[in-house]
Amino acid sequence: MNLPLTHYFIYTGHNSYLTGNQLSSPCSEVPIIKALKRGVRVIELDLWPNSSKDSVHVLHGRTLTTPVELVKCLKSIKEHAFVASDYPVVITLEDHLTPDLQEKVAQMVHDTFGELLYIPESSDLKELPSPETLKGRILISTKPPKEYLEAEEDKSTKSQRVKDYSDDDVWGEEPSEATPYKDKNNKYESDESDHDNEDSEHYIKKADSCPAYKNLIAIHAGKPKGGLEEALKVEKDKVRRLSLAEQELEKAAERHQQLIIRFTQQNILRIYPKGTRVTSSNYKPLIGWLHGAQMIAFNMQGYGRSLWLMHGMFRANGGCGYVRKPDFLMQHGPNNEVFDPKAKLPVKKILKVKVYMGDGWHLDFKQTHFDAYSPPDFYTRVGIAGAAADEIMRKTRAIEDSWTPVWNEEFTFELTLPEIALLRIEVHEYDMSEKDDFAGQTCLPVSELRPGIRAVPLCDRKGYPYPSARLLMKFEFLP
């Protein structure tokens, strides 16, 4: 934990204050508290003036979401920031405020966090501090005030008529089947306000008079001009955070994968969900991780297979919210080349998984939960999420009429990038006439699996452990 923050994947939330969907759900400090208790280390707040323009609310702008006071959110973060982990919490601010309200925010942040607040000695850091150095500290990440203008572009009119894949069924579609959105427009897109216009000069002069707000910023969010190549340029002796929408990452990954990885070796890359995910669904996180993106911002109040992968990744490293990136994402070759996510790689490890049996459902569910007239018919799905060459799902046969199914089935998985692979485990109850019932899931980092026979606890759809349901499994790595 002694390397710069750029060397770590960081457990990151998106619109952390929302209790449900992105359009009409109430805003509250409660989902922020829940996220922090799960170990989430990056909390996002959208700041807007209240109706009388004399205070600050947190809400999803230009929607029907009801606001929550900023001070409530800040106090909740202070009280719960280090319940699950001692490592730093980053607050990303999307700021839609006038200079006088920015000054109020600066005072509010100082009054709330006091000595917990990390304020860098210089506004231009050559590299970010380490998680160990920042233990017990809170960092602010946003754009410098001069980059915000009063005239705001209404992005709600942008048309992205895309199918929302993650809600196709009760568990969400397979992440590997969630076809990315293809944007024909090659312009860089950010969810952070892009406010350059002809009337900016007067506002910038006013904004420069807010040093207290500017001095809060520990991780500067850069506002690139031009296309993606310009956005991904590495600036010498300067660290910044760049935000890309999931579809922008998909596009960049097709043509600029090496630029992305070079950028993430020195800077922070944050990926956020596309605007059409109004139900707070999520996207496949592996694409970002395979390109070194540190902050894969997720709607933590949602559920589905993509979120299960997120939970799985951050079970690693003791659940502290920081997972060191694999060496291959930080290394340079003899000709200064970096990792190529599209390169065909040899098999590095073979993982053998045996599913012996399952138990505990009769203690967690009513006798009629799965079938009104007979015991359940359970089967298990086991597979890998990771590099494209490694991804696969297998399943056992269904064992009829048993609360304690015994499968004794074995599966072998060849892994080209075991360092980033996740073992996916799901249990379902076979139903001949209707959709199969969900009976538990978990996701485990392959890098942290220990050989031997293990009892593997199962979780519900939202990722919370069942009291009793678990599988007996064996893990083995072949030479």
Side-chain angles (χ1 to χ4, degrees), residues 309-373:
L309 299 182
M310 180 67 68
H311 293 160
M313 170 62 82
F314 288 99
R315 286 190 173 98
N317 204 20
C320 73
Y322 287 82
V323 175
R324 184 176 164 183
K325 294 199 282 187
D327 289 341
F328 65 78
L329 287 171
M330 302 302 294
Q331 291 170 340
H332 292 262
N335 298 315
N336 203 35
E337 70 272 17
V338 295
F339 172 70
D340 182 359
K342 292 186 176 180
K344 190 173 181 179
L345 300 171
V347 172
K348 194 180 287 186
K349 264 186 184 177
I350 297 175
L351 171 64
K352 189 183 283 187
V353 177
K354 187 163 187 177
V355 187
Y356 288 110
M357 62 176 293
D359 195 14
W361 290 282
H362 66 291
L363 300 173
D364 295 336
F365 297 93
K366 293 179 180 178
Q367 294 295 303
T368 56
H369 178 87
F370 297 105
D371 195 311
Y373 303 106

Side-chain angles (χ1 to χ4, degrees), residues 387-408:
D390 299 345
E391 294 202 335
I392 189 172
M393 285 300 289
R394 311 278 295 279
K395 72 176 183 177
T396 68
R397 68 194 185 282
I399 302 298
E400 293 184 9
D401 299 336
S402 177
W403 283 98
T404 310
V406 177
W407 294 286
N408 284 326

